[in-house]
Amino acid sequence: MSGSLDLSSARKQLQDTLGDDMTAYLQNLKLWFKQKISKEDFDLEARKLLTENTVHLHNEFLLAIMSRCQSLSTSLVPRESSVSGRVSEQSRIKQKSKLRRKSTSSRSTLQKFVPSNPVNFAPLATYKGGEEINFATRELAVPDISMVQGRMLVCAWETGLEDVSDTAVKLIMHAIENQLKNIISQVLSKRSGYKVREKKFKYAMGTQVLNPYLRHTSQIDDTSTESEATSITANALHIPCRKPPFDIGSAQAAEQLSTAQFPASKGPVTLFELLETLQLYRSSIASHSVYAPAIERVIHKLWHPSREEINQEHIHHQEVTIKQLHSQSVIR
């Protein structure tokens, strides 16, 4: 049975069991994806909605989601040689057979909820970067395709849709990369100089701006700003354009550097520059429902707690830890 069928059947069984409480369950699932609640809190809320005989559907549903997301991430790994591909395929088949035997035996013997981490039972996957995938907020990286697919599945179920196709997930990933590329280009073009080819395409980010107060600045001819396929000769004939020789190109680059302004070295891009760019180019994020939270998060990150607030937060965490240890000792 494929991953989509397993996920659909697991969700249908859970939805038939929960009924109207499925909305609350999906809301808790979304909060766990956003790291607003822990895995233990999510399991606790799920046990409140389910009975002892049906709480095992909660684990089966989470296993199906993770298997589905990992299957899409492994499909994007580039293929290796035929020998290694055959070996990996054989090991993958053996692993699937072991997982099927283990799942059938566990379903027949275990009918009650056992607290466990579903990641331990998910099939192993070779990710695109070969590194262990963690939360995007901790790694400060772009969300991977498995994380995006998980978010899209929850949003689709909330709106009444049954499933999300792999093509839609890949399109969303391309849209995210294109959106980030546009924002980064606007930030860099605002803080540094750049060149424009054919009055449209920005390139050579970080190029120094020519000094307009020098006499021969206006006489400098930059051949890299135009890309013409042909040129017209004296006999009115079209011939292919030739690139300038190396010595001419080096002379033009030296002349441009001699007339350029060299400001002080700039550090990395700051949140102040990002906030100013988003406020200046409001069309960079077309959706207002995405633009407003982005501005709020940038402004929130600009705030830093004082030393007294950090100490109070540390004391609060110590008190919470002491209370948890005391409650565990009382239960024992």
Side-chain angles (χ1 to χ4, degrees):
M1 186 179 291
S2 62
S4 60
L5 294 178
D6 290 337
L7 180 58
S8 300
S9 60
R11 186 180 70 87
K12 189 175 184 304
Q13 293 177 3
L14 185 63
Q15 187 173 7
D16 295 340
T17 304
L18 290 175
D20 296 336
D21 294 333
M22 188 65 180
T23 304
Y25 180 86
L26 292 178
Q27 187 66 25
N28 294 329
L29 180 61
K30 182 186 291 186
L31 293 176
W32 177 49
F33 280 164
K34 294 180 178 179
Q35 303 181 37
K36 293 184 178 180
I37 61 176
S38 61
K39 178 63 169 58
E40 291 76 14
D41 295 337
F42 178 46
D43 291 336
L44 181 61
E45 295 296 331
R47 294 185 66 180
K48 292 179 181 179
L49 300 175
L50 296 168
T51 60
E52 295 183 357
N53 297 327
T54 60
V55 76
H56 66 279
L57 298 175
H58 166 65
N59 277 348
E60 295 178 0
F61 179 63
L62 292 183
L63 286 174
I65 290 178
M66 293 187 177
S67 300
R68 171 71 180 280
C69 295
Q70 287 185 352
S71 63
L72 181 59
S73 61
T74 52
S75 64
L76 297 180
V77 179
R79 296 182 178 178
E80 300 177 355
S81 61
S82 59
V83 178
S84 62
R86 292 176 182 175
V87 174
S88 62
E89 188 68 23
Q90 292 177 359
S91 61
R92 204 175 291 172
I93 293 173
K94 291 180 181 179
Q95 188 177 6
K96 286 184 178 180
S97 61
K98 291 180 180 179
L99 288 173
R100 288 179 181 175
R101 293 176 183 175
K102 189 174 182 179
S103 62
T104 53
S105 60
S106 62
R107 288 181 184 176
S108 60
T109 56
L110 294 178
Q111 294 296 333
K112 294 185 179 180
F113 176 78
V114 178
S116 61
N117 190 2
V119 180
N120 298 331
F121 300 93
L124 298 177
T126 304
Y127 299 103
K128 186 175 182 180
E131 302 175 354
E132 185 180 1
I133 291 182
N134 295 320
F135 290 107
T137 54
R138 296 176 184 175
E139 296 295 326
L140 300 178
V142 180
D144 62 320
I145 193 167
S146 59
M147 186 181 298
V148 172
Q149 187 181 22
R151 295 285 186 89
M152 291 180 65
L153 285 172
V154 177
C155 295
W157 293 332
E158 286 184 344
T159 55
L161 299 177
E162 293 293 333
D163 198 2
V164 176
S165 63
D166 297 343
T167 306
V169 180
K170 294 177 182 178
L171 289 175
I172 291 296
M173 285 299 299
H174 287 301
I176 293 174
E177 295 175 357
N178 191 23
Q179 180 68 52
L180 293 177
K181 183 262 297 179
N182 293 335
I183 294 176
I184 293 174
S185 300
Q186 290 172 352
V187 173
L188 295 179
S189 62
K190 188 178 181 302
R191 75 194 301 259
S192 303
Y194 59 91
K195 294 183 180 180
V196 180
R197 182 184 292 275
E198 298 174 355
K199 300 180 181 180
K200 294 180 181 180
F201 179 72
K202 296 180 181 180
Y203 72 103
M205 296 291 181
T207 303
Q208 303 300 332
V209 181
L210 301 182
N211 189 355
Y213 298 102
L214 296 179
R215 181 177 298 176
H216 66 287
T217 300
S218 59
Q219 301 176 0
I220 295 177
D221 185 18
D222 190 359
T223 58
S224 63
T225 58
E226 298 292 338
S227 56
E228 297 178 355
T230 60
S231 60
I232 302 176
T233 62
N235 299 327
L237 298 176
H238 285 273
I239 60 174
C241 287
R242 297 177 58 187
K243 294 182 179 180
F246 179 76
D247 53 351
I248 296 179
S250 300
Q252 291 179 355
E255 187 179 13
Q256 293 177 10
L257 288 176
S258 63
T259 58
Q261 298 176 348
F262 293 93
S265 60
K266 299 181 180 179
V269 178
T270 62
L271 290 177
F272 291 99
E273 294 174 343
L274 177 60
L275 178 61
E276 186 178 0
T277 302
L278 292 178
Q279 291 177 344
L280 181 62
Y281 302 100
R282 297 182 63 90
S283 60
S284 59
I285 303 178
S287 176
H288 180 73
S289 59
V290 180
Y291 176 81
I295 293 293
E296 292 178 359
R297 290 183 180 181
V298 172
I299 296 175
H300 177 71
K301 290 294 183 179
L302 291 174
W303 173 83
H304 189 274
S306 61
R307 186 178 297 274
E308 291 77 10
E309 292 174 341
I310 295 176
N311 294 333
Q312 290 295 330
E313 187 71 18
H314 182 64
I315 295 172
H316 174 70
H317 286 303
Q318 289 180 347
E319 293 177 352
V320 171
T321 304
I322 294 172
K323 289 181 181 179
Q324 291 178 355
L325 295 175
H326 179 68
S327 60
Q328 290 177 2
S329 60
V330 170
I331 292 174
R332 293 177 182 175

